[in-house]
Amino acid sequence: MESTVTEPRLPGSGLQSFFLGNYPPRNCGIATFTYDLSIAIGREIGDDSFGVIAMNNRIEGYDYPKEVVFEINQESLQDYRMAAEYINLSRAKLVCMQHEFGIFGGPEGSHVLHLMSALKKPIFTTLHTVLKNPTPRYNWALREVCQLSHRVVVMSKMAVDLLQEVYRIPEKKIRFIPHGIPDVPFVDPNYYKDKFQVEGRTVLLTFGLLNPNKGIETVLEALPQVVEGHPDLVYIVLGATHPEVKRRSGEQYRIGLERQVRSLGLSEHVIFHNRFVGLAELCEFIGSCDMYVTPYLNKEQIASGTLAYAMGMGKAVISTPYWYAQEMLADGRGQLVDFGDRQGLEQAIIQLIEDEPKRHYMRKKAYELGRKMIWKEVAREYLELLEEGLQTYVPFPEYQRLAARRQKRGTLPAMRLDHLITLTDYTGPVQHARYGIPDRDHGYSTDDVGRGLAVVLMYYDQHRDPQALELAKIYLAFLGHAQLENGHFHNFMDFSRHFLDLEGSEDTFGRALWGLGVAVQLGPNENFRAFARQLFDKAISGISLHYPRSMAYAICGMHAFLQRYPGARGIWLHLDSLANELVRLYRKNRQDDWEWFEPAVTYGNAKLPHALLLAHEATRKKEYLEVALESLDFLTRIQYDGNIFDLVGNEGWYQRGGERAVFGQQAIDAGYLVEAYMSAYQLTAEEKHLELAEAAFEWFLGRNRLKAPLYDFETAACADGLDAEGVNMNRGAESTICFLLALLALVKESVYVREDTAAFGLTQQEGFEKRPAVGRSAAISINLSDGFRQSPETRGDKVKQ
C-alpha cells in the first residue's frame, strides 16, 4: 500500500504516546518490532514524543534504556491497574499496543483487558496473531481486545478478513499496515560472503530465534540430494535458541539438529550461529545469501519479521505456505513448498540454483514490494492512522459500559490463598475448620484435594506465586497416594493418614479427575505434568460413571486435558460420551416446568450445565449448548428473584412438585453458578450471564437471604453456608475452594479490579494488611522527568529474530 502521508502532520509537542509491548534488551520478535516502530515514528515527529510501557516475563526485569518509563510484571494484575492509572494521569494522548497472547498474563492473555478497560485514552493495537479456528475462549479474548481498541492494525490481508468473519470486528475499525523492514540497497550476494568465510559458495539462509516450529529438520533432510549435485552449497542457520524454549528445554532442540547434521553427513554444508546479532550484521548475513528459506510448520501465521526482512533485501525465498508467506510470495515473488515436503523443498532449491534468471526475477519482485515496507513508510502509515484516530476518538460505549459497571459493582476481593494455606499441612487440606481453626478430627478428603489442585494451579497460572506451586505439589502427591489399582480413589483419610474407605464415590472419582486434568493442562513443568498424566491415564482406563455430577466433574477434567492435548481423540470420545449421557438424562427428566437432569435439584447443581458448556466448547455440538443454557436458565428461574440468589438448601433440597428448601444453602452452589455463568458469557457474549455471575458471587459477600457475608476479608476464609440460625461457622476446605473458583472465573473478565478492601460496595471492616503483588512493583523505573527518548547511538540495536 502506498502511504498517502508525504510529511508528518503531528508535531512532537502535539502527539505524546505510549508504546506498550515487549522491548529490548528482551530478545524476542515483539520486542524488536516495538523498538523499530517507536524509533521510526520518533524520527518522523520528534524523538521526545513517546515513552514505552515494557512487559516483563521475569521478576528481575531487564536493564531497559531511558525511554522505558514503566514496567509491568505480566503475571501481576495490580501492575496492569497501576499502569492504566499512570497512563491516564500522564500527558500522553494515546497508547500504541502490540498484542500477542503469550506476552500478557492470565488465561488467553486476558490480564491486559484489565488495563485496556481502565484506560481513558484511545488504544491502537497491532495484532501479531489472529487465529482462524480459535477456541471459544481465545475468540472471546481477542474480541474483547478489539472492542476495547479504537483501531486494530494487522500485517496481512487475510487477517483483515478473519477479524470480520470469525471475530465480528467491523471493517472500519481494522487497518492493514505492512510489517516494517530496514531500508537497505539491492546488492550482489557475493559482496558480503567473504565476511562469513563462504566466498565462492551458494548460500542458503534461515534466521530467527530457534524453536521446533521453525521446521529446520525438513531443510536438513532435503540437503543430501542437493549437495550431491551442488557441493558448493552451504546452509547457514542464524539465531540463538528462543529464550522460552531454552528455559523449558535448554538446548535440546539445537543439539538434536546438530546430531541430524552429523548423521546426514552435512557437517561441511551446515553452519550454526548460536547468537543474537545487531541490525548491521544481520543485514550483512541476509545480503550474503543467494536464497532464503522459511520452512515453518504453523499454517496460521499472519506475520513474519524474518520473511519481511529477507524480501525487503531482495532475496529469492522458498517457504512453506503459512498465511503470511502465501500473501507475500504471490505474483512470482517467491516459491511455496508444502509443509514437511522434503522432496518438494529439495526440488525448489535445486531449481533456483540452476535457474539463475528465475532467481533474479524473484529477487527484483521481492525488493520492489519491500520498498513500500521500509520503516519510514510504515511509520507514516501509522501516523496517518493515529492522527485520524485522535480526531475521531470519543470514549467508547464499551468503556462507558465497563466504567458504569465498576461504579455500580465496585471491585473484587483480592485473590488470596491464606486460608487454604492455613488448612494445608504436609498431607493435604484438612476438611473442616471450626471458627476458621483446622479441625483435625475430620482429616482429609480426595473431594477437596481434587478441586483444590485445580484452584491452586489456575491461581499459579495467573500469578506465578510459589506458594501456590507448593500447595499443588502436596495435592498431587495426595492424589497419587489415594489412587487404587483399578484407577479409582479413596476419599476419606483420618489425621493419622489412614484411609477410612475401600473406595470413594463416583463424585470423588470425578473431582479427582478434574484436578488431574487441570494438572495436565497447567502443570508448571514436564515432570509435574507427566505424573499427573500417569494418574489421569490410569483413572480413565476403567472409567464407568452412572451419576450426573460425577460425569460433569469428569468432563471438566477431560476438557482441561484437551486444552493441552487437543488431538487426544480418546479423551475427546470419552468427553463426548459423557456429555451425550447428560443430555439423555436431561431429555428423560425434562418437563414443561422442570428443565432439569433429575427429579430433584440437590447440590453442586450448576456443574451440570457448566460441564455441557465445556463439552460444547470441545466438540462444537450445538445440542450441548442448548441443553446447558436451558438448564442454567432453569436454575436461575428457581433461585434468583431479580435481586438476590436464594439457593436451594440441603435441608430437603427441591423435589419436583414439592417445596424448595431455603436453608442449608452451600457455598458450592454459588461458586459453581459463577463458573457456569462466566462460561455462558464467554460462549454467547450475552450480558445477562455476566450480570448473573456478579449476583451469584455477591451471595458470598452478603447479597443473600440473611444479608450476611460468608467471606472473611481478614482471613480469606469462607463459611460453609447459610442455616436458619445464621452463617455456618465452619470454614472448611470446600467452601473456600468454591469461593476461589468463583473469583478465578470472574477476574478473567476485564471489567474487574481486585482489592483487599470491601467489594461491590458492601461495608467490611477496614485496616486489612494488603497482600504484596507477586514480583516487582509496577511503579519501578518510572522516569518522573517524562523525558521519553534516549539516542539510539547510546546502545546496541537488536533486531527482530
Side-chain angles (χ1 to χ4, degrees), residues 417 421 453 455-461 463-477 519 522-525 528-529:
L417 299 180
I421 292 170
L453 180 59
V455 162
V456 297
L457 285 173
M458 287 188 281
Y459 177 88
Y460 180 76
D461 185 55
H463 301 273
R464 292 297 188 264
D465 185 342
Q467 290 186 100
L469 185 54
E470 290 306 308
L471 294 177
K473 292 175 182 176
I474 292 170
Y475 296 175
L476 184 60
L522 301 178
N525 55 59
F528 190 99
R529 294 192 298 272

Side-chain angles (χ1 to χ4, degrees), residues 178-184 307-314 328 333 363-378:
H179 194 296
I181 58 173
D183 187 0
V184 295
L307 178 59
Y309 273 43
M311 294 189 68
M313 294 187 67
M328 294 291 288
R333 292 187 293 264
R363 292 189 61 205
K364 291 177 182 178
K365 292 279 287 185
Y367 190 75
E368 288 172 2
L369 178 67
R371 301 314 296 161
K372 303 173 185 178
M373 299 167 57
I374 60 173
W375 275 115
K376 182 176 183 178
E377 295 299 318
V378 168

Side-chain angles (χ1 to χ4, degrees), residues 27 31 58 92 97 100 126 170 183 310 421 438 448 451 519 573 578 595 610 627 738 796:
N27 289 310
R58 62 188 192 188
M97 185 177 85
E100 174 66 76
T126 301
D183 187 0
I421 292 170
D448 294 334
R451 290 174 293 186
L573 291 172
L578 292 175
E595 296 164 314
H610 182 214
V627 172
C738 290

Side-chain angles (χ1 to χ4, degrees), residues 101-120:
F101 293 106
I103 73 172
F104 303 112
E108 297 83 40
S110 57
H111 280 6
V112 75
L113 300 177
H114 294 253
L115 184 154
M116 297 180 73
S117 64
L119 284 179
K120 300 177 182 179

Side-chain angles (χ1 to χ4, degrees), residues 483 487 509 513 535-543 558 571 574:
Q483 191 168 41
F509 174 88
L513 197 69
L535 301 181
F536 187 97
D537 288 347
K538 185 176 180 180
I540 211 77
S541 63
I543 186 170
M558 294 172 188
I571 304 302
H574 278 305

Side-chain angles (χ1 to χ4, degrees), residues 461-651:
D461 185 55
Q462 291 189 12
H463 301 273
R464 292 297 188 264
D465 185 342
Q467 290 186 100
L469 185 54
E470 290 306 308
L471 294 177
K473 292 175 182 176
I474 292 170
Y475 296 175
L476 184 60
F478 185 101
L479 293 181
H481 185 56
Q483 191 168 41
L484 299 161
E485 284 303 313
N486 65 0
H488 283 246
F489 298 85
H490 290 291
N491 189 12
F492 298 113
M493 174 190 280
D494 65 22
F495 191 69
S496 60
R497 297 187 178 180
H498 296 107
F499 283 112
L500 304 177
D501 52 22
L502 296 177
E503 183 174 303
S505 67
E506 283 192 10
D507 279 11
T508 298
F509 174 88
R511 288 164 174 166
L513 197 69
W514 179 12
L516 291 173
V518 174
V520 171
Q521 177 194 7
L522 301 178
N525 55 59
E526 187 174 341
N527 289 333
F528 190 99
R529 294 192 298 272
F531 184 44
R533 170 77 182 277
Q534 178 181 322
L535 301 181
F536 187 97
D537 288 347
K538 185 176 180 180
I540 211 77
S541 63
I543 186 170
S544 177
L545 301 176
H546 306 89
Y547 299 102
R549 282 161 191 77
S550 60
M551 297 176 194
Y553 289 127
I555 288 172
C556 291
M558 294 172 188
H559 174 269
F561 188 101
L562 289 169
Q563 299 305 296
R564 171 149 307 258
Y565 301 115
R569 180 160 177 76
I571 304 302
W572 188 95
L573 291 172
H574 278 305
L575 179 149
D576 188 46
S577 175
L578 292 175
N580 265 317
E581 181 59 18
L582 282 180
V583 169
R584 187 192 69 80
L585 290 172
Y586 179 81
R587 303 293 187 208
K588 176 183 177 182
N589 287 282
R590 185 189 185 282
Q591 296 180 7
D592 289 343
D593 61 344
W594 191 262
E595 296 164 314
W596 195 239
F597 302 83
E598 302 169 294
V601 175
T602 55
Y603 70 98
N605 301 299
K607 188 54 62 180
L608 305 184
H610 182 214
L612 284 179
L613 290 168
L614 297 181
H616 167 73
E617 183 179 327
T619 66
R620 306 298 176 93
K621 292 190 176 181
K622 187 176 180 181
E623 182 182 30
Y624 298 160
L625 180 64
E626 291 173 346
V627 172
L629 295 178
E630 281 183 11
S631 56
L632 189 57
D633 285 346
F634 172 73
L635 287 181
T636 306
R637 191 166 67 249
I638 65 172
Q639 296 181 112
Y640 185 59
D641 66 3
N643 181 36
I644 67 166
F645 270 92
D646 202 17
L647 304 175
V648 171
N650 65 11
E651 297 179 5

Side-chain angles (χ1 to χ4, degrees), residues 195-257:
K195 290 196 173 188
F196 308 111
Q197 291 78 52
V198 292
E199 60 270 25
R201 304 188 70 174
T202 301
V203 178
L204 186 67
L205 174 70
T206 294
F207 86 88
L209 293 172
L210 206 61
N211 67 78
N213 288 325
K214 292 288 186 184
I216 292 170
E217 301 93 328
T218 309
V219 182
L220 298 180
E221 291 169 2
L223 287 186
Q225 292 298 317
V226 177
V227 300
E228 183 176 332
H230 300 276
D232 66 334
L233 182 80
V234 61
Y235 178 37
I236 297 177
V237 180
L238 172 64
T241 302
H242 195 290
E244 288 301 310
V245 173
K246 192 170 184 178
R247 182 181 62 81
R248 293 193 304 266
S249 309
E251 293 287 9
Q252 181 180 357
Y253 179 61
R254 181 181 296 277
I255 291 170
L257 293 176

